[in-house]
């Protein structure tokens, strides 16, 4: 849990940006591109404000040549409204916010061992930040596999883009309409058993993340997990996004956590917990001056 | 060696910093974290009887000199709130202040009664939310009579000492302070947000907050907060939690010189992170050390001399 | 090509910026200089019947987010003031607004009557000085009835159209706006300073202003000013001079979107020098140019749609 | 008339400083030293605040080795109160404010002609900024003469200090108790007639400045004049210190003005002036966009 850092110079006030491109990635799943030098890292998010409607968080799904994108699944009032927007329409953007996935090149420590096989596990729109991450990983020469799961074929996205940059793309659908018939976790276990996984980065629905986490723990693999939570302010002040017994705030302490922290969050049952019995390493002592 | 310990009514805070209501105080776990990170006391977000969804986003916007918020008093309802406060009371190393609000005098009494179940160290009565009107047609805190009525209703039922939180948006804050103290308030917290204010996005020509207007906090309001604390200190004889724009040790000292017993910190959590309580405490300590003050007590109200 | 010209009652300002009362407006020569340096209109420091020395120094102090002043309405008395305003009216390339104040309704009428001699383009009635109490025991601008009484008294005698300057430190500024317009105000200027506020020097543990408290201006008060202008625009149908924290073109646009016809600038003379009027005008021009607005008129009140 | 520049980073809020040294310079004339790196230039002023009393402007009279000083003549309530202050007492200081005397070394333009003979003309406490200026001028190798005038001998100050750094010191007293019996202007005329004056910097009471200005004009000598005015804010916002038909503010446009501007200010008679007839070169035209 990192101590909330000082906020950066930019005001937490939306910057209005026109949408410069809209791309259909899959059924009810669209990317919106903005002409703005965002300086985000994979896993970080922005908030998108549609005046008169609402403001919601979305992962940055790509950043290149002075453009950045978010990729939005239409699931409710706000995201449906977003899907109605066209090139030239303007929205307010704040961010980038939050922690990010940290990867380094394969030879960064001289051993050649790190990130030999980076496996990205995506559920639903969780693929968005992982596409951005895949591009960064490939750029650093890391061999990367994307395991993407959705209910059905039409919801799968980014296969072409990922394959074109050399990412191995493995799909899993609930109905078997494409790729593996079953869960991403089955594909993951298979990769691991073939020795083709040295680290896992995952993003998707909570139940999927919990199962992926359990697998990573079992095989003693390092992992980084992108979590979600209901958010209001998005920058660490309102307290709405706290998730666990330690008062971790997803918007600022997250959304990306290392495996160990993520597992603690998953296992947290507030009712049965007694904070004073906690003895994890990051417990600060109250200092009296 | 300067001593930062601060006697506040029947408790002693390890230092004079207090987490203000509405900042990171929705869940018990956050309150505990802030206490561990160094706050001398922590205040919950204001709690009401019934679930209120609050306003849609954006609910906070930053401007050059502070923040404007219209969270709209979203709360999870009394049962959930009781369990959050209980968790905080059990686990927090620092005293816990439960903040309550309601839409009429009777409900103020009811929510205060219920919150007894959580055993908070103090109850703070938020009569000063700029966006809630009383049954009498204006915010409670703008009228001495309604302020007093709420205070005595809460005082009658609360097991914990009662802090009343005042609004700066009144012609004469001394009048209100006197009325709530006469009605039994054990302490005063001042101030809630200033305004309201509005920020308009010039690209879309629309107010940014979904509620259009919101309360102003942060550096912008510090002089108004200091003046209010100064006024209240000169009028009544109860401890004051001085809140509004406190970002560093100098600001805290200003509040204490104006008459504050403890110093609330809200928006500065944004500017300096959750470690702001420890940082401000250190800065106060350093000031006391170089200026030969040995206790907070000794500095209180010095600007009145 | 965007046009910055701004029709204000019976005059046309070359651009919407207006020098606010109390900033560099003591002498006619300063008013003329500011007009030459680009202000669309200039307002004198508030004038009263009799000489008032004002408070000893310090009368202004800067804080992180603005200025606090308690100049204490020092004035040189009506005869000197008439000659200063006359000088300005004769020599200023922009319309001249004479600001007046008094301690009771009758004196408001007297000073307004006398100021006719100087032939100002407008008279601005300052009922909102935070440090002056009316004969009724509170600042004029906090009460709809006294505000109306002053307005109609001035309206009766003034040859020039009457602008009434309101205070933000009231529970409901719409009420006051309505009362002064009903009483005959031709326009409204909003806002005067916020607060009051206090800044304490932590070395000497003393309030810095000799008057202890003073009105807050500058960036700190912009959101409150924008909200007030928004509220007034939604309530009454007279032109508004929007004042408070305007420092750059974006701030001015915010004011205009909120409903201002012209935009007052005070503290920003400190932040950006006397050239601020020209600078802000240029910034407004550039915004209009890139956003396809052709007139100020067209932008007014857009945030209400 | 320079357009008011943007104000510097430091807040216009007094900084509390202890007095580290008090020096008697003459009768009722004391220097107060502060341990603070002020970065003032000769001619600039600070305001001194005594809490509960008042706040008043004073020229910086010296700046060296991280110390600076003001030299105060006891003439009324505030300055008398200041004279009661001792080492260790604290006051609030704001500044430095205003314009300053501009001098350059004798050979800066390669001709060796500039400031060959700098003559400083001081009346009363006007000597304060000129002592600071003398130190700077000497440091730049400019040959410098100080003509200091007071009513009587006991009011003369800084002779030793100035002579020790090589400044020629010429006193003039009204009663003839020391130096020339008469006015500084007589001494000045004498210097000029001897060809020992290439530029004049003056500070003192208005009547003296007016006469010095007339002499400089007559002999076509360049000059810089330190003016005074009643001040409130001290930093260009309240408008109290305006002196002339152009709305010049002494605190910000001054206090030091070139001869030509100073003479315009001296000659200004508001009643008889009609601005529209003015046609000095620095008149800006009203621009309409
Ligand atoms: C850090 C983060 C990154 C995200 N990245 C993406 C992304 O890249 N692409 C994408 O399509 N979606 C993303 N989301 C989720 C997105 O914010 C929600 O889908 C959106 O808010 C739904 O709004 P709605 O009005 O359309 O639907 P609603 O009817 O409001 O909600 C639909 C679902 O979204 C959840 N939800 C609603 N509001 C929020 C909120 N403020 N924060 C989190 N969840 C909420 C609800 O619990 C519900 O399950 C992200 C969320 C977070 C917290
Ligand atoms: C730019 C500037 C630099 C100055 N430098 C020095 C200096 O180096 N040494 C020094 O002894 N004095 C200096 N003065 C003058 C000094 O500010 C006054 O002597 C002082 O304010 C007098 O205050 P008092 O209460 O003691 O006397 P008062 O009774 O207030 O006044 C005595 C005399 O000083 C004049 N005066 C009063 N207030 C002011 C004011 N705010 N500004 C200007 N004049 C005023 C009065 O007109 C009167 O003639 C300077 C003034 C200015 C404007
Ligand atoms: C996001 C936010 C939410 C707030 N919610 C509450 C609240 O629920 N109850 C309350 O009494 N005050 C609330 N406040 C007011 C603060 O407790 C505090 O009085 C005010 O922000 C001034 O302090 P500051 O300048 O340190 O932020 C809230 C303030 C902010 C910024
Ligand atoms: C030093 C100073 C003096 C002022 N004097 C007056 C005054 O005499 N009459 C008046 O109506 N307003 C006066 N005001 C208020 C301003 O006109 C203006 O309403 C206020 O400062 C807000 O605008 P700003 O933020 O642009 O400064 C004064 C403000 C300042 C800073
Ligand atoms: S969303 Fe407000 S603290 Fe995280
Ligand atoms: S003293 Fe205020 S403008 Fe010069």
């Amino acid at each position: 849990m990192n101590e909330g850092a000082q906020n950066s110079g930019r005001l937490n006030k939306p910057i209005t940006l026109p949408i410069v491109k809209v791309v259909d990635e899959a059924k009810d799943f669209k990317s919106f591109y903005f002409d703005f030098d965002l300086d985000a890292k994979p896993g970080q998010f922005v908030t998108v404000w549609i005046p008169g409607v609402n403001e919601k968080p979305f992962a940055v799904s790509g950043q290149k040549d002075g453009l950045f994108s978010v990729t939005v699944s239409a699931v409710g009032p706000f995201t449906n409204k977003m899907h109605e927007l066209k090139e030239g329409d303007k929205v307010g953007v704040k961010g980038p916010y939050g922690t990010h996935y940290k990867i380094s090149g394969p030879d960064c420590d001289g051993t050649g061992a790190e990130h030999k096989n980076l496996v990205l596990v995506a559920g639903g729109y969780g693929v968005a930040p992982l596409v951005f991450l895949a591009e960064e990983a490939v750029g650093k020469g890391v061999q990367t596999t994307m395991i993407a799961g959705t209910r059905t074929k039409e919801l799968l996205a980014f296969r072409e883009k990922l394959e074109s940059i050399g990412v191995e793309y493995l799909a899993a659908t609930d109905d078997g309409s494409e790729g593996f018939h079953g869960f991403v976790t089955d594909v993951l276990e298979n990769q691991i058993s073939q020795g083709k996984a040295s680290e896992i980065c995952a993003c998707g629905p909570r139940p999927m993340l919990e199962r992926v986490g359990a697998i990573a723990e079992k095989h003693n693999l390092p992992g980084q997990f992108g979590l979600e939570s209901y958010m209001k302010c998005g920058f660490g002040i309102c307290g709405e996004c706290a998730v666990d017994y330690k008062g971790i705030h997803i918007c600022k302490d997250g959304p990306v956590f290392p495996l160990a922290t993520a597992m603690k969050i998953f296992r947290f049952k507030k009712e049965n917990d007694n904070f004073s019995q906690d003895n994890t390493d990051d417990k600060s002592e109250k200092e009296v001056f | 060696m300067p001593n930062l310990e601060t006697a506040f009514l029947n408790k002693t805070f390890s230092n004079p910093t207090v987490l203000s209501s509405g900042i990171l105080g929705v869940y018990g776990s956050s309150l505990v974290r802030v206490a561990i990170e160094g706050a001398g006391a922590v205040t919950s977000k204001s709690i009401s009887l019934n679930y209120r969804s609050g306003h849609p986003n954006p609910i906070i916007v930053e401007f050059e000199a502070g923040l404007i918020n219209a969270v709209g008093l979203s709360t999870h309802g009394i049962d959930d709130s009781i369990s959050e406060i209980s968790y905080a009371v059990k686990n927090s190393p620092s005293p816990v202040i439960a903040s309550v609000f309601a839409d009429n005098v009777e409900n103020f009494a009811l929510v205060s009664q219920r919150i007894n179940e959580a055993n908070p160290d103090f109850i703070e009565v938020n009569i000063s939310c700029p966006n809630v009107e009383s049954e009498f047609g204006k915010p409670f805190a703008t009228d001495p009579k309604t302020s007093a009525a709420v205070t005595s209703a809460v005082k009658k039922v609360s097991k914990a000492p009662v802090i009343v939180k005042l609004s700066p948006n009144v012609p004469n804050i001394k009048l209100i302070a006197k009325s709530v103290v006469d009605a039994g308030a054990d302490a005063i917290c001042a101030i809630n947000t200033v305004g309201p204010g509005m920020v308009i996005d010039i690209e879309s020509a629309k107010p940014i907050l979904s509620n259009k207007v919101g309360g102003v906090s942060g550096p912008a309001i510090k002089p108004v907060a200091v003046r209010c604390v100064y006024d209240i200190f000169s009028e009544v004889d109860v401890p004051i939690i001085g809140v509004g724009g406190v970002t560093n040790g100098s600001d805290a000292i200003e509040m204490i010189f104006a008459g504050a017993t403890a110093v609330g910190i809200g928006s500065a959590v944004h500017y300096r992170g959750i470690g702001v309580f420890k940082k401000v405490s250190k800065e106060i300590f350093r000031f006391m050390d170089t200026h030969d003050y040995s206790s907070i007590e000794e500095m209180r109200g010095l600007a009145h001399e």
Side-chain angles (χ1 to χ4, degrees), chain A, chain B:
Chain A
M1 186 183 348
N2 61 336
E3 195 231 24
Q6 213 156 324
N7 277 278
S8 71
R10 181 125 47 87
L11 286 185
N12 287 293
K13 186 175 158 184
I15 299 179
T16 300
L17 297 175
I19 295 166
V20 295
K21 191 165 70 174
V22 182
V23 175
D24 278 308
E25 305 289 0
K27 183 162 178 298
D28 298 331
F29 199 38
K30 291 187 185 179
S31 290
F32 299 85
Y33 285 80
F34 301 94
D35 190 355
F36 185 81
D37 206 353
L38 189 69
D39 200 19
K41 300 208 173 89
Q44 287 192 304
F45 65 95
V46 294
T47 61
V48 175
W49 171 48
I50 307 180
V53 183
N54 212 324
E55 183 186 49
K56 297 277 186 169
F58 297 96
V60 176
S61 62
Q63 185 178 267
K64 219 184 352 206
D65 307 328
L67 299 186
F68 78 91
S69 61
V70 294
T71 307
V72 176
S73 171
V75 298
F78 183 84
T79 47
N80 282 323
K81 190 86 198 170
M82 257 202 100
H83 274 234
E84 289 170 20
L85 299 180
K86 306 258 159 293
E87 209 182 294
D89 288 344
K90 290 175 180 178
V91 298
V93 173
K94 280 185 338 204
Y97 290 128
T99 58
H100 57 91
Y101 296 99
K102 292 181 189 100
I103 53 151
S104 36
D107 292 318
C108 66
D109 60 354
T111 69
E114 282 228 71
H115 299 298
K116 222 166 135 185
N117 296 95
L118 176 64
V119 179
L120 311 178
V121 186
Y125 60 71
V127 71
L130 297 180
V131 179
F132 183 14
L133 176 60
E135 292 190 285
E136 192 187 86
V138 168
K140 288 190 171 170
V142 178
Q143 189 180 313
T144 307
T145 303
M146 169 76 80
I147 304 174
T150 58
R151 269 185 292 105
T152 184
K153 184 184 156 135
E154 294 87 58
L155 298 174
L156 287 170
F158 295 113
R159 171 191 284 269
E160 227 171 287
K161 179 175 199 163
L162 288 167
E163 288 182 345
S164 77
I165 60 169
V167 174
E168 183 183 15
Y169 182 92
L170 304 173
T173 52
D174 296 1
D175 63 3
S177 52
E178 185 166 331
F180 182 80
H181 186 163
F183 296 127
V184 286
T185 40
D186 300 321
V187 183
L188 176 63
E189 288 272 22
N190 189 37
Q191 287 293 107
I192 294 173
S193 65
Q194 291 178 36
K196 285 165 69 178
S198 62
E199 165 141 20
I200 298 166
C201 288
C203 191
R206 175 82 170 244
M208 180 205 98
L209 292 180
E210 295 194 13
R211 288 197 306 272
V212 172
I215 292 169
E217 274 192 336
K218 191 175 70 184
H219 296 282
N220 220 344
L221 287 171
Q224 298 175 58
F225 288 73
L227 271 61
E228 279 194 14
S229 164
Y230 177 69
M231 286 187 190
K232 292 212 129 185
C233 72
F235 55 93
I237 183 116
C238 73
E240 280 294 345
C241 67
V243 282
D244 78 330
Y245 69 117
K246 299 280 280 183
I248 289 177
H249 300 102
I250 293 286
C251 72
K252 200 160 174 177
D253 301 312
V256 178
F257 295 95
L259 176 61
T261 311
M263 293 311 283
K264 272 189 222 154
I265 293 172
F266 296 154
R267 288 186 183 124
F268 169 54
K269 297 275 174 295
K270 206 185 294 179
E271 324 50 288
N272 305 324
D273 229 311
N274 187 329
F275 182 83
S276 55
Q277 289 165 6
D278 172 64
N279 51 10
T280 53
D281 51 351
D282 57 351
K283 183 183 177 188
S284 334
E285 281 302 318
K286 195 181 129 191
E287 255 179 60
V288 179
F289 298 91
Chain B
M1 264 274 284
N3 183 349
L4 287 188
E5 278 186 11
T6 303
F8 189 86
L9 295 172
N10 57 337
K11 298 276 168 187
T12 299
F13 301 170
S14 59
N15 68 69
T17 70
V18 176
L19 173 72
S20 286
S21 179
I23 288 87
L24 298 185
V26 178
Y27 298 103
S29 58
S30 297
L31 292 169
V32 173
R33 177 174 173 193
V34 173
I36 290 177
E37 300 241 20
V42 291
T43 314
S44 76
K45 173 146 190 68
S46 296
I47 292 161
S48 71
L49 280 178
N50 299 117
Y51 172 83
R52 298 166 62 114
S53 70
H55 303 297
N57 280 342
I59 49 131
I60 308 194
V61 57
E62 191 174 357
F63 73 110
E64 294 74 6
L67 299 173
I68 307 192
N69 89 81
V71 176
L73 290 172
S74 60
T75 78
H76 297 250
I78 189 67
D79 295 320
D80 274 11
S81 297
I82 288 171
S83 81
E84 296 297 336
I85 302 283
S86 302
Y87 178 84
V89 170
K90 282 196 201 98
N91 295 295
S92 166
S94 305
V96 174
I97 305 169
S99 172
V100 297
F101 85 100
D103 50 0
N104 61 46
V105 175
E106 198 187 340
N107 284 339
F108 261 112
L110 283 175
V111 67
S112 304
Q113 174 100 58
R114 289 292 317 275
I115 217 68
N116 285 332
E117 296 170 30
N119 260 312
D121 297 292
F122 304 97
I123 188 164
E124 184 171 286
V125 191
N126 176 8
I127 56 170
S128 48
C129 178
N131 302 317
V132 175
E133 303 223 325
S134 77
E135 67 228 270
F136 314 100
K138 41 183 169 173
F140 294 96
T142 61
D143 187 283
K145 280 203 210 86
T146 49
S147 300
V150 172
T151 306
S152 52
V154 172
K155 189 63 195 162
K156 234 172 257 154
V157 299
S158 176
K159 287 196 205 146
V162 174
I163 306 165
V164 179
K165 183 158 181 187
L166 303 188
S167 165
N169 309 316
V170 298
N172 186 341
I173 201 165
K174 290 187 189 185
L175 277 185
I176 315 288
K178 188 157 177 357
S179 75
V180 301
V181 170
D182 287 349
D186 300 296
I188 283 176
C189 176
I191 56 174
N192 211 313
T193 52
V194 166
M198 177 184 283
V199 176
I200 294 172
D201 172 50
I202 63 171
E203 296 295 330
S204 59
K206 291 246 178 343
I208 293 179
L209 295 180
S210 68
N211 187 49
K212 293 193 172 100
V213 303
V216 184
S217 62
I221 71 169
K222 196 187 65 181
V224 172
V226 169
R227 186 264 306 167
C228 286
V229 169
Y230 187 95
D231 277 354
I232 296 166
F233 183 87
S234 73
E235 182 73 17
V236 296
D237 212 22
V238 299
I240 302 164
I241 304 180
V243 199
V246 174
T247 306
N248 55 42
S250 305
D251 301 334
I253 304 283
E254 233 183 302
M255 280 289 184
I256 294 166
F257 283 159
T261 295
V263 178
I265 294 179
S267 304
V269 168
H270 168 56
Y271 298 112
R272 303 184 74 191
I274 224 170
V276 64
F277 302 93
K278 206 168 271 175
K279 291 175 190 166
V280 169
S281 293
K282 277 197 180 133
E283 288 156 3
I284 297 173
F285 182 92
R286 241 178 274 136
F287 176 86
M288 291 171 70
D289 204 26
T290 53
H291 290 71
D292 287 329
Y293 292 108
S294 57
S295 72
I296 298 289
E297 173 68 36
E298 180 193 347
M299 298 193 291
R300 175 159 59 259
L302 279 190
H304 292 261
E305 283 170 14

